Amino acid sequence: MSLEKPKPRVAVYICHCGKNIADVIDMDEITEYAKHIPNVALAKNYKFMCSNAGQDLIAEDLRSGKIDRVVVAACSPLMHEETYRRVLRENNFNEFFFEQANIREHASWVNLRDHKGAMEIAKDHVKMAVAKVSNDRPLIRQKVKVTQEALIVGAGITGMFAALDLANKYKVHLVERTPTIGGHMAQLDKTFPTMDCSACITTPKMVEVGRHPNIDLLTYSEIENVDLNVGNFDVQVRKKSRKINHLICTGCGACGEVCPITVPNEFDYNMGYRRAAYVPFPQAIPAQYTIDIDSCIECKLCVDACDVNAIDFNQEDEIIDLKVGSIIIATGNDIFDPSKLYRYGYQKYKNVLIAIEMERLLSSTGPTLGKVIRPSDHKTPRRIAFLQCVGSRDFHEDTHKYCSRVCCMYAMKQARQYKEKYPDSEVFIFYIDIRAFGKGYEEFYEIAAREYGINFIRGRIGDVFEKNDGSLIVRGNDSLLAEKYEIEVDMLILSTAIEARKDADVVGRFFGVQCSEDGMFMEAHPKLKPVDSLSMGVFIAGTCQAPRDIPDSVAQAKAAASSADNFMASGEVEIEPYYSMVQPEICSGCRSCIQLCPYDAISFDEITNTADINAIKCKGCGVCVASCPSNAIIQNHFTRNQILSEVRALKPWENYIIKN
Amino acid sequence: MVKNSDFEPYIVCFACNWCTYTGSDQAGVSRMQRPADVRIIRLMCSGRMEPRYAIEALKNGADGVIIGACHLGDCHYLEGNEKAVRRFSVFNKFIEEYGMNPKRFQFWHISASEGAEFTEHIKEYVSELKKIGPNSRKKIAAKEFKKLEEALIQ
Ligand SMILES: Cc1cc2nc3c(=O)[nH]c(=O)nc-3n(C[C@H](O)[C@H](O)[C@H](O)COP(=O)(O)OP(=O)(O)OC[C@H]3O[C@@H](n4cnc5c(N)ncnc54)[C@H](O)[C@@H]3O)c2cc1C
Ligand code: SF4
Ligand code: SF4
Ligand code: FES
């Protein structure tokens, strides 16, 4: 009797990907080549393997009984592995009898001109995939129950909308760092392109979030720790002490009135003041007060002033443990600090402002109650200028290459608001290009130029000088007229870039989310998975992923909410069965693997004197596999045999020897 | 002596799924061109990487072997890459003992968004390997393979 395993019968399908692969790699040559690789039963090529017709091709061959394993040589497995696995599944084959050879991202696209070189790589990648698939073993995906609660980090407009959508079905924990929700939008006065009042649309949503029975609002709180158990994330939140008991505080404001300490108000970008006992702005949610313990001198005048005895200086930070099934990160953006671009004079000249400060000046709830004044003499400026792309579309160090997408629009918005308030004033916008790309945006631009008489001058400002009276001279080159300009203005507003939060990398690390080159959170796929992260069950939305305006942020919030819903809805999630197993008959009982496992998945069985891995706890990193001195541990789908067979499929000497 | 003229290095890269593999995908999507010398083997984490795979590749005549791992602190499995760094800390010395140029082995940290860095590193590495010249194991590997083939035919 023969104990030999039946020989694998591998089918290789090579995808043209339209012309993406076929233009570089000769399809007939590689198909012929594939046919002669050991274990290959048939090889075919097709225009689009991922299309229905392409999938049918595989299904037919599977059903014919001629093949039992599949290799598709096409794009990256990160793109379509799931698509092809499904074909196997639907045709009653184990979905893990599949490997994808990456001949697009790793061959044709990086060697567009070197066709011969690309072919060599493609052949090698196909060979390796055949070797690996020949050693694949049937596996079953693990099913894990998903906790029916969600965590949202950041309560700007994005986080709030995501929370409201999800809260109809799930309990939502909304964690916000500052004492109030609302984010940047709460700081705006009006919003382009419709010019509706920002507060009128934000405040009702904030109230809704604050009152929603399914939303557990955790403001003034920080993420402390996260255990990334897919579907059952363990999250620790630090609720910072406010020294005021929010269950009792009525938000009457008596403490703020007696507090003798005034400090600049962050909410007004330090242009207004607040007390040490404060709410950031009158419509803040929650409406209860907070004592900023860093500026408080503990005079305790407020303790006596509070009629309901809500103030408690013994209150400590509280650590809250949550278990959630999915997570949405909506931590928004920071704003570029232009003081490092000395030539624009920010923080050197008093009358150079940044746009978000102007936003507060224009706001009827701002520090000047909507009156635009220049900081040097509190007079209303008659001539103002906006400078676009400050920190964006710049190749210098400390600036950003990307376009921040909202600055053209908000500058025009502010210019229009200013003109409405002071009709006989003059406004200049210095720009490189005006980018008005959204619905109704170009029309907004046209009205700004035509009806508001705003002067658009193409060409960045080169230098800014301050006159004795605080007015500013701006100089530059008008690139349309090809001549120099020198203009005197009362105030200059810098349209500063939107940039990643300073602590984005730290926050990303908690959730296993990577940052892109520009520092913002990276999506799993730029087109097909715009709100997914590479970390399963963790989604990203809003300006933490890339600069965008409110309509786009809300669209992403809703997309992320529906993705999170999708993820939790069935109550179960399937995870890759790449866990590792100890072969007890080989294990020598040395215990060296036990402390290496970062997830405490390995225990020691004192009776058999061997190690044992808990398949649910194991995340499949393979550290123990590589470290076991007895080679007793196997990692599913990445066995030693498989990896060695891939390496051995390569013949690094071949071409060289032939040539010499 | 083996001649160095028009020699194209043969590089095997063991890439972590979460960083270098994705980074290389990103390089592809952005059409960043690099020498056609790199074959990529996907692992779930650099912590899975064993010395024997690198030895096997070098023994068979690969001119360079790269491990592509996440940046320290960014490993998807917390600290797999740190363990890999430790595991491979003397690997260069080891292959040097065996008469190989220690530069034939590289440990890189390339994140998922660093397609450009990956491309640049490869360009530099290829020109470095061209200076070093081909791996002299190629001939032996070819001979051994021939013997094996003949044995199979008989
Ligand atoms: C000057 C200016 C004017 C603008 N005008 C307009 C306009 O008129 N129309 C328009 O459509 N768009 C406008 N925008 C763009 C708009 O502000 C953004 O699109 C929008 O605010 C993005 O919302 P968000 O919720 O994603 O981020 P944010 O508003 O930044 O909210 C993020 C929230 O997360 C919190 N947070 C951050 N990190 C953490 C953490 N680690 N833990 C807990 N919480 C955290 C923050 O405190 C904040 O509350 C303007 C932008 C600027 C700068
Ligand atoms: S390292 Fe290997 S031999 Fe040692 S206890 Fe773990 S499985 Fe057993
Ligand atoms: S593969 Fe990684 S997670 Fe799994 S048991 Fe081994 S060390 Fe732990
Ligand atoms: S996940 Fe990339 S090195 Fe561990």
Side-chain angles (χ1 to χ4, degrees):
Chain A
M1 194 183 71
S2 161
L3 279 176
E4 238 175 75
K5 276 190 290 182
K7 207 169 148 261
R9 291 166 299 158
V10 181
V12 178
Y13 301 91
I14 295 148
C15 182
H16 300 209
C17 191
K19 287 179 171 248
N20 283 313
I21 300 173
D23 263 2
V24 177
I25 293 164
D26 185 89
M27 285 294 135
D28 293 332
E29 186 185 336
I30 189 156
T31 313
E32 242 349 90
Y33 178 85
K35 282 182 186 158
H36 296 99
I37 301 172
N39 291 344
V40 171
L42 61 90
K44 296 178 176 173
N45 64 62
Y46 186 69
K47 210 161 189 58
F48 288 108
M49 280 313 298
C50 60
S51 68
N52 269 343
Q55 296 181 31
D56 286 347
L57 204 65
I58 306 175
E60 245 168 64
D61 289 336
L62 283 170
R63 285 196 295 260
S64 75
K66 280 187 277 192
I67 57 160
D68 56 11
R69 282 152 209 254
V70 174
V71 165
V72 176
C75 53
S76 166
L78 303 183
M79 179 103 181
H80 270 311
E81 191 171 47
E82 195 41 49
T83 313
Y84 300 116
R85 281 182 174 174
R86 203 187 53 233
V87 178
L88 276 92
R89 209 158 57 218
E90 285 171 356
N91 289 284
N92 302 322
F93 278 80
N94 188 278
E95 60 191 297
F96 291 91
F97 284 143
F98 169 77
E99 295 295 335
Q100 191 164 349
N102 186 339
I103 62 168
R104 192 180 75 174
E105 283 84 343
H106 293 184
S108 73
W109 274 354
V110 286
N111 298 290
L112 288 171
R113 286 176 292 275
D114 182 359
H115 293 193
K116 207 171 136 275
M119 173 66 86
E120 294 300 320
I121 294 179
K123 284 177 178 174
D124 282 351
H125 279 187
V126 172
K127 254 189 314 191
M128 289 197 288
V130 172
K132 183 160 187 242
V133 86
S134 300
N135 289 300
D136 269 337
R137 293 174 312 158
L139 298 170
I140 298 168
R141 280 192 208 224
Q142 296 164 279
K143 287 199 170 127
V144 178
K145 276 218 154 42
V146 180
T147 306
Q148 299 293 299
E149 293 183 20
L151 167 74
I152 297 176
V153 190
I157 191 68
T158 308
M160 293 196 306
F161 262 89
L164 286 171
D165 270 17
L166 271 179
N168 289 333
K169 256 168 106 174
Y170 305 93
K171 171 121 196 144
V172 177
H173 307 277
L174 180 56
V175 174
E176 165 60 46
R177 164 177 288 167
T178 65
T180 177
I181 61 175
H184 281 108
M185 191 174 169
Q187 291 169 317
L188 309 180
D189 183 45
K190 289 194 171 152
T191 55
F192 62 75
T194 43
M195 289 304 235
D196 30 10
C197 127
S198 186
C200 313
I201 44 184
T202 329
T203 325
K205 285 289 161 198
M206 289 167 61
V207 174
E208 209 180 322
V209 168
R211 287 209 186 127
H212 203 294
N214 254 350
I215 298 180
D216 164 31
L217 191 54
L218 297 163
T219 50
Y220 212 43
S221 300
E222 296 270 352
I223 301 295
E224 186 86 355
N225 192 34
V226 183
D227 273 342
L228 286 175
N229 302 314
V230 175
N232 300 286
F233 301 95
D234 288 303
V235 183
Q236 269 183 356
V237 179
R238 173 179 294 271
K239 208 170 169 198
K240 289 176 280 190
S241 157
R242 305 184 186 236
K243 307 292 175 202
I244 292 181
N245 185 339
H246 269 206
L247 296 175
I248 310 176
C249 170
T250 60
C252 70
C255 52
E257 269 163 39
V258 296
C259 178
I261 298 295
T262 31
V263 287
N265 190 355
E266 307 82 357
F267 187 80
D268 286 330
Y269 268 76
N270 301 337
M271 290 191 303
Y273 294 93
R274 63 163 173 83
R275 301 302 168 101
Y278 73 113
V279 283
F281 62 109
Q283 297 78 23
I285 300 282
Q288 286 94 335
Y289 274 60
T290 300
I291 293 177
D292 160 18
I293 204 67
D294 292 333
S295 39
C296 167
I297 52 164
E298 298 199 27
C299 66
K300 305 204 171 158
L301 284 175
C302 52
V303 177
D304 296 331
C306 180
D307 281 343
V308 289
N309 292 329
I311 297 173
D312 172 11
F313 272 88
N314 296 323
Q315 194 186 56
E316 298 278 338
D317 287 5
E318 199 183 329
I319 301 288
I320 297 169
D321 288 304
L322 304 174
K323 200 183 241 337
V324 296
S326 65
I327 295 170
I328 297 174
I329 308 182
T331 48
N333 59 280
D334 272 343
I335 287 170
F336 177 76
D337 173 8
S339 53
K340 47 196 168 197
L341 304 178
Y342 303 111
R343 61 183 184 282
Y344 298 143
Y346 182 66
Q347 279 178 349
K348 187 164 66 167
Y349 307 144
K350 275 191 169 164
N351 295 331
V352 178
L353 266 60
I354 58 174
I356 193 86
E357 292 169 341
M358 181 64 168
E359 202 73 48
R360 294 310 297 148
L361 286 183
L362 287 165
S363 168
S364 50
T365 58
T368 56
L369 302 178
K371 200 170 160 223
V372 179
I373 54 167
R374 53 180 216 168
S376 69
D377 51 14
H378 294 191
K379 283 197 194 129
T380 295
R382 291 293 155 199
R383 269 158 82 92
I384 65 168
F386 290 86
L387 173 58
Q388 298 309 108
C389 303
V390 177
S392 316
R393 304 180 69 198
D394 196 336
F395 286 83
H396 292 92
E397 217 179 306
D398 287 341
T399 61
H400 305 293
K401 292 192 185 111
Y402 56 77
C403 161
S404 290
R405 294 184 94 228
V406 289
C407 322
C408 285
M409 289 305 294
Y410 72 54
M412 290 193 276
K413 169 189 77 174
Q414 295 185 352
R416 278 175 58 166
Q417 284 178 270
Y418 171 72
K419 268 284 209 181
E420 278 166 18
K421 287 184 195 233
Y422 311 103
D424 52 353
S425 57
E426 232 180 325
V427 184
F428 300 87
I429 296 184
F430 296 95
Y431 68 100
I432 312 179
D433 304 288
I434 291 291
R435 297 192 162 167
F437 51 84
K439 184 168 173 173
Y441 289 15
E442 186 65 23
E443 295 86 328
F444 187 89
Y445 171 27
E446 226 220 281
I447 293 173
R450 187 163 34 83
E451 284 175 26
Y452 285 75
I454 293 162
N455 302 300
F456 287 89
I457 298 178
R458 189 166 183 276
R460 255 186 190 154
I461 293 175
D463 293 299
V464 181
F465 302 99
E466 189 180 36
K467 288 180 49 180
N468 284 343
D469 65 352
S471 302
L472 303 156
I473 311 263
V474 301
R475 273 198 207 143
N477 214 345
D478 185 325
S479 63
L480 287 180
L481 301 178
E483 59 182 37
K484 294 203 163 58
Y485 60 75
E486 182 175 301
I487 294 170
E488 185 179 333
V489 292
D490 299 330
M491 200 159 103
L492 173 65
I493 295 129
L494 306 178
S495 297
T496 40
I498 284 198
E499 66 181 16
R501 291 270 182 205
K502 308 242 155 7
D503 61 348
D505 53 336
V506 181
V507 174
R509 219 166 268 170
F510 274 136
F511 300 101
V513 174
Q514 277 97 340
C515 294
S516 308
E517 213 174 335
D518 55 20
M520 299 194 157
F521 293 137
M522 198 170 90
E523 64 286 352
H525 189 278
K527 297 181 198 76
L528 305 181
K529 293 179 176 174
V531 296
D532 295 58
S533 75
L534 285 175
S535 199
M536 207 176 167
V538 181
F539 305 90
I540 50 178
T543 53
C544 64
Q545 185 261 339
R548 52 170 52 84
D549 53 23
I550 295 161
D552 285 4
S553 296
V554 171
Q556 278 214 328
K558 290 181 159 284
S562 111
S563 300
D565 176 15
N566 233 337
F567 183 77
M568 295 187 288
S570 74
E572 268 182 348
V573 51
E574 287 191 338
I575 51 177
E576 303 282 27
Y578 299 160
Y579 58 88
S580 301
M581 295 169 299
V582 178
Q583 296 166 279
E585 64 283 8
I586 306 180
C587 170
S588 69
C590 73
R591 299 178 193 237
S592 42
C593 54
I594 293 176
Q595 42 197 324
L596 285 175
C597 177
Y599 302 105
D600 289 330
I602 315 181
S603 57
F604 198 75
D605 186 334
E606 299 288 350
I607 299 166
T608 57
N609 213 22
T610 55
D612 183 39
I613 295 177
N614 178 332
I616 295 289
K617 275 189 171 175
C618 169
K619 301 244 160 63
C621 67
V623 162
C624 59
V625 188
S627 313
C628 169
S630 313
N631 294 338
I633 312 181
I634 302 179
Q635 180 182 13
N636 279 339
H637 215 57
F638 291 88
T639 64
R640 181 165 298 116
N641 247 346
Q642 286 187 297
I643 301 170
L644 273 178
S645 72
E646 284 180 273
V647 180
R648 285 180 182 146
L650 300 174
K651 299 194 175 104
W653 71 82
E654 228 169 29
N655 277 339
Y656 187 76
I657 299 294
I658 291 165
K659 254 196 263 162
N660 291 271
Chain B
M1 252 315 268
V2 269
K3 276 183 298 173
N4 283 3
S5 58
D6 74 281
F7 145 73
E8 273 303 328
Y10 192 108
I11 300 170
V12 183
C13 172
F14 295 88
C16 155
N17 177 63
W18 305 97
C19 51
T20 312
Y21 196 91
T22 317
S24 177
D25 275 4
Q26 193 232 337
V29 172
S30 318
R31 312 294 198 276
M32 294 169 185
Q33 301 301 299
R34 66 180 183 230
D37 298 341
V38 193
R39 284 84 185 145
I40 297 182
I41 297 180
R42 179 161 74 125
L43 303 174
M44 291 312 281
C45 171
S46 65
R48 174 70 186 87
M49 181 64 190
E50 294 178 57
R52 75 185 71 187
Y53 309 143
I55 294 171
E56 187 73 18
L58 291 169
K59 213 178 77 188
N60 290 345
D63 300 296
V65 168
I66 304 165
I67 299 181
C70 301
H71 287 279
L72 292 179
D74 284 350
C75 174
H76 193 76
Y77 308 98
L78 309 176
E79 50 203 32
N81 53 0
E82 281 164 37
K83 283 160 186 155
V85 167
R86 253 178 278 153
R87 192 178 302 141
F88 282 89
S89 58
V90 293
F91 194 75
N92 299 66
K93 291 250 159 26
F94 170 81
I95 59 173
E96 200 174 7
E97 287 289 307
Y98 278 79
M100 228 174 240
N101 191 316
K103 290 197 179 129
R104 294 215 186 276
F105 170 74
Q106 301 280 317
F107 199 115
W108 295 351
H109 297 278
I110 307 277
S111 82
S113 62
E114 290 178 336
E117 278 80 352
F118 189 52
T119 308
E120 278 319 302
H121 276 46
I122 286 172
K123 284 188 193 157
E124 279 165 30
Y125 191 38
V126 165
S127 57
E128 177 128 35
L129 284 175
K130 282 191 174 172
K131 271 184 230 144
I132 296 172
N135 180 350
S136 56
R137 287 280 321 184
K138 281 188 209 284
K139 269 201 176 142
I140 307 168
K143 262 190 220 145
E144 275 176 7
F145 184 74
K146 244 222 172 98
K147 256 195 252 158
L148 206 78
E149 231 176 14
E150 275 160 16
L152 275 178
I153 291 165
Q154 275 161 19

